[in-house]
Amino acid sequence: MNVAIPTEDKQMQAIIEKVRAGERLSREDGIFLYKSDDLLTIGQLANEVNLRKNGRKVYFIENMSLYFTNVCEAHCAFCNFRKDEGQPGAYTLSGEQMIEYVEQHIHPGVREFHIVGGHNPHVPFQYYVDSLKALHERYPDVTLKAYTAAEIDFFSRISGLSYREVLQELMKVGLKSLTGGGAEILSDEYRRKMKVTKADVSQYLDVHRNAHELGLRTHTTMLYGSVEKHEDRIDHMAQIRELQDETNGFLVFIPLSMQPISPKAGIRRRNSAFEDLKTIAISRLMLDNFQHIKAYFINIGTQLTQVSLTMGADDVHGTIVKERISHSAGALTPEGITREDLIWLVKGAGRIPVERDTFYNEVKVYE
């Protein structure tokens, strides 16, 4: 039963009525919510939507993040992970070297490898195929969730293959899902300002469209908190909502809070907790055709992740083991987390932890 939300704002009341009636929010509604400082009303409304979709269940996965190379031809302004070939700290691992790393760090129960990396032009497309093949042959029961849409576009350019052909080659060696990265903000103006020279807006969306048509379910993100306006964030959500209407291929939306370049950066260089919670809640309200909204503890911290579970989020990601991209910038959070801590985090918010696989099939419910 919905609890009355006291508000004297007529536009907010109209939004409440639309959401409760199952009507889609407009661009203007989303922009209004961003400009509002009524976080409690926005959060409560997002909580209602989430409870309607997912009940009190909150999902997590036993996964492990892997990075075959940090050499990258792109020079995105927000990235501190990338290196040039030959630069100190640059690396490109073979499949055998990655297996050696995994053997040292893997723990029982890992059911997904989350694989992303640099756009390394010094190796052929076959290197990226062989990387997945080596992992799949050694760990056939671990799902390969690999590469961003921007990486798929890069592979297409260096190989001369179409997006569909690239994806089909990777699927032959075990690819089961794409990661959500590379979206940043889906605005060409933003991409110019932030020197995002990888896949443009239409290319990012087209890679996911092709993946969905081939039967892959994929993830998608939004990296917020730099030069974009609130309008840009809402337009970003509208574009992925439109593609989801077309394909129903996205599993989850992941708002990513921008990290400053240095861990020594002060609070004025970071997104506020207010902004992070509002973005998660608005995502839940705008993306009516997405089943899941993820709170990414690597970027917002474990405690704020816990609060977000009452403001629209129903997924707390996974164990990760050793995250590198956000931590190569200014992330101050743990590089990974245990299953026990994730269960504690979810239960502490009064929710039911559910271990899942990549595709949100339930593995175990921790009542």
Side-chain angles (χ1 to χ4, degrees):
M1 183 176 179
N2 293 327
V3 178
I5 303 177
T7 178
E8 295 180 2
D9 189 296
K10 291 183 178 179
Q11 191 165 352
M12 183 69 83
Q13 188 58 46
I15 289 172
I16 292 169
E17 291 171 5
K18 284 176 75 171
V19 170
R20 288 180 170 173
E23 296 177 24
R24 174 163 285 183
L25 296 188
S26 67
R27 180 178 189 270
E28 292 68 32
D29 292 330
I31 293 168
F32 170 81
L33 291 173
Y34 258 121
K35 295 188 183 307
S36 170
D37 63 358
D38 191 354
L39 177 61
L40 293 180
T41 294
I42 298 168
Q44 183 177 336
L45 196 59
N47 186 51
E48 287 182 13
V49 172
N50 179 42
L51 290 174
R52 195 159 65 224
K53 284 182 173 288
N54 299 298
R56 305 191 71 80
K57 291 181 175 179
V58 171
Y59 298 87
F60 72 91
I61 188 169
E62 285 266 12
N63 66 347
M64 187 173 182
S65 290
L66 304 179
Y67 312 86
F68 273 93
T69 182
N70 63 352
V71 175
C72 190
E73 67 172 14
H75 291 77
C76 303
F78 48 78
C79 183
N80 207 38
F81 174 75
R82 69 160 308 280
K83 301 287 184 184
D84 290 320
E85 179 85 342
Q87 184 179 351
Y91 69 88
T92 301
L93 302 181
S94 67
E96 293 71 25
Q97 288 172 316
M98 181 57 81
I99 288 171
E100 184 179 341
Y101 170 84
V102 173
E103 289 291 330
Q104 293 172 357
H105 296 90
I106 198 168
H107 55 270
V110 167
R111 62 186 65 253
E112 174 189 279
F113 291 139
H114 177 106
I115 304 166
V116 293
H119 301 189
N120 186 344
H122 305 285
V123 291
F125 171 55
Q126 192 62 40
Y127 162 80
Y128 298 95
V129 176
D130 291 343
S131 296
L132 292 193
K133 184 178 180 181
L135 279 176
H136 185 56
E137 288 180 349
R138 176 64 182 83
Y139 306 100
D141 297 327
V142 179
T143 300
L144 298 185
K145 184 181 77 178
Y147 305 136
T148 66
E151 286 173 277
I152 300 300
D153 174 73
F154 168 69
F155 299 158
S156 174
R157 285 192 284 110
I158 64 173
S159 68
L161 300 174
S162 67
Y163 293 162
R164 184 171 293 251
E165 290 168 335
V166 166
L167 289 164
Q168 287 171 327
E169 289 302 306
L170 295 171
M171 290 168 71
K172 287 177 186 175
V173 295
L175 178 72
K176 298 299 184 189
S177 180
L178 295 184
T179 70
E184 323 316 353
I185 294 290
L186 293 175
S187 155
D188 289 326
E189 179 185 3
Y190 168 93
R191 288 168 122 70
R192 284 192 296 272
K193 288 180 179 177
M194 296 300 285
K195 302 177 183 176
V196 182
T197 54
K198 51 193 178 184
D200 64 22
V201 174
S202 62
Q203 290 166 334
Y204 178 89
L205 294 170
D206 200 35
V207 168
H208 281 280
R209 179 180 290 106
N210 274 272
H212 299 166
E213 289 172 352
L214 287 170
L216 294 176
R217 305 295 303 280
T218 68
H219 305 66
T220 189
T221 62
M222 178 179 75
L223 182 66
Y224 65 92
S226 58
V227 300
E228 85 280 356
K229 302 182 289 293
H230 287 149
E231 288 84 351
D232 296 323
R233 299 183 196 175
I234 295 300
D235 288 342
H236 179 113
M237 294 179 201
Q239 289 178 87
I240 61 168
R241 186 172 72 178
E242 183 177 344
L243 182 55
Q244 184 75 330
D245 279 342
E246 178 186 334
T247 66
N248 195 34
F250 288 121
L251 288 162
V252 60
F253 177 69
I254 310 147
L256 298 174
S257 186
M258 176 75 80
Q259 302 299 300
I261 289 297
S262 170
K264 296 180 181 178
I267 62 172
R268 287 176 291 169
R269 297 287 304 280
R270 300 175 183 274
N271 286 319
S272 69
F274 197 89
E275 193 74 5
D276 287 332
L277 290 173
K278 188 190 285 188
T279 297
I280 287 170
I282 293 173
S283 300
R284 179 63 286 167
L285 294 172
M286 290 296 295
L287 298 176
D288 50 28
N289 54 3
F290 275 66
Q291 187 70 27
H292 304 288
I293 303 293
K294 181 178 291 186
Y296 190 50
F297 74 83
I298 286 292
N299 286 22
I300 66 173
T302 51
Q303 290 177 306
L304 205 59
T305 294
Q306 193 174 46
V307 176
S308 74
L309 301 182
T310 61
M311 293 195 168
D314 71 290
D315 187 292
V316 291
H317 196 57
T319 49
I320 299 176
V321 181
K322 189 174 178 63
E323 195 280 338
R324 293 186 186 176
I325 293 179
S326 291
H327 284 91
S328 67
L332 302 176
T333 53
E335 293 179 326
I337 193 169
T338 66
R339 176 204 280 125
E340 290 72 25
D341 282 346
L342 283 170
I343 292 168
W344 176 89
L345 185 151
V346 173
K347 285 188 173 181
R351 299 294 161 110
I352 302 168
V354 180
E355 186 176 351
R356 62 171 176 85
D357 67 9
T358 300
F359 310 102
Y360 287 85
N361 298 307
E362 296 182 5
V363 174
K364 184 174 181 180
V365 179
Y366 295 84
E367 294 285 2

